[in-house]
Amino acid sequence: MKKTIICSISMKENIDQVVYSSKDKSLPVSERKVRYPICAFLEKTMESNDELEVIILVKKDKKDYYKRNIAFFKEELEAVNKEIGAAIEYKIIDSEFEEHQTVHEQLLKDIVAQISDDSHIYVDITYGPKDLPIILFTTLGFAEKFLNCTVENIVYGQADFENGRAVNTRICDMVPLYCLSSITNTIECTDSDKARSMLNLLLTF
């Protein structure tokens, strides 16, 4: 199967390796300690005939921590794939850590350019600045509408922190949140009260 994996890389110096838990049967995870929860998920879902196009999203920090974090991500994914043997191709998209419209627009264009038509998309939004999920949701909407892609999972690694260490780590699927953004686009109404009623009705389905 053709799969597109999109993962935002951490800008932090140190990332804890932890075991992620999951209460969602549709989101299985391995017991491997990882920095990037998408790797624990892929270990349970990848198959040998998969063709993975891995898009690595990088925000350049001033101390270049991102360079080591890219290496960590690749090491984890390769370790997961060692017994599976799927084909993996890496593509790195980097951008400056700046909140300018031109940076956002260029990043959106760069990601769309790297997504193959008809692919199944899996995303890890655990790390990265606040603008990335917004840009990614827009990208995914475009890919579904115009590239005949399917958004399968949007992974987020949730954690509590004690003395600076990640604890109670669990994996969450943010696809329902992504779907919320598309719900409002389906409403066509000029009356505000009626629009609220329509939204409430849609959310009950």
Side-chain angles (χ1 to χ4, degrees):
M1 181 183 292
K2 185 188 295 183
K3 295 180 179 179
T4 298
I5 313 299
I6 304 175
C7 183
S8 54
I9 296 298
S10 174
M11 299 167 61
K12 294 171 60 178
E13 180 180 8
N14 298 308
I15 316 171
D16 293 336
Q17 275 191 304
V18 298
V19 175
Y20 283 92
S21 64
S22 175
K23 295 182 180 179
D24 187 345
K25 291 182 179 179
S26 67
L27 202 67
V29 287
S30 70
E31 295 182 0
R32 182 190 299 270
K33 283 189 174 183
V34 294
R35 295 176 177 87
Y36 294 90
I38 190 74
C39 292
F41 169 71
L42 289 173
E43 183 168 358
K44 287 291 189 179
T45 57
M46 278 171 57
E47 298 180 355
S48 59
N49 61 347
D50 284 342
E51 298 177 7
L52 272 62
E53 294 181 336
V54 181
I55 301 173
I56 300 174
L57 303 182
V58 177
K59 286 289 185 178
K60 297 179 179 177
D61 62 273
K62 293 181 180 179
K63 295 188 177 181
D64 290 348
Y65 294 142
Y66 71 91
K67 293 181 179 178
R68 185 172 62 172
N69 290 329
I70 291 173
F72 283 148
F73 172 72
K74 287 184 176 181
E75 287 173 8
E76 287 187 353
L77 186 53
E78 292 296 337
V80 164
N81 192 44
K82 187 175 181 180
E83 299 297 326
I84 300 171
I88 300 178
E89 177 186 0
Y90 295 99
K91 303 173 182 179
I92 297 177
I93 298 176
D94 57 51
S95 57
E96 298 300 326
F97 184 37
E98 298 287 349
E99 298 299 336
H100 298 309
Q101 182 177 348
T102 54
V103 175
H104 298 153
E105 290 173 350
Q106 187 60 50
L107 181 56
L108 176 62
K109 289 189 288 186
D110 288 344
I111 300 172
V112 167
Q114 296 297 338
I115 297 176
S116 297
D117 294 6
D118 308 310
S119 62
H120 296 257
I121 303 177
Y122 302 80
V123 185
D124 188 332
I125 61 169
T126 303
Y127 303 110
K130 300 298 186 291
D131 62 316
L132 269 180
I134 299 171
I135 294 169
L136 282 170
F137 280 19
T138 304
T139 302
L140 297 176
F142 182 91
E144 283 194 308
K145 187 173 182 178
F146 299 108
L147 307 183
N148 196 37
C149 292
T150 303
V151 177
E152 299 288 357
N153 298 96
I154 303 173
V155 169
Y156 172 68
Q158 188 178 12
D160 299 320
F161 288 89
E162 294 181 1
N163 300 318
R165 303 289 296 181
V167 297
N168 301 324
T169 47
R170 57 267 187 204
I171 194 169
C172 310
D173 192 354
M174 307 303 283
V175 165
L177 180 60
Y178 163 68
C179 291
L180 279 178
S181 65
S182 63
I183 285 177
T184 56
N185 294 330
T186 66
I187 299 174
E188 294 184 8
C189 184
T190 56
D191 181 271
S192 60
D193 289 334
K194 186 176 180 180
R196 290 189 181 96
S197 297
M198 291 174 66
L199 176 62
N200 291 334
L201 180 62
L202 285 169
L203 291 175
T204 61
F205 294 142

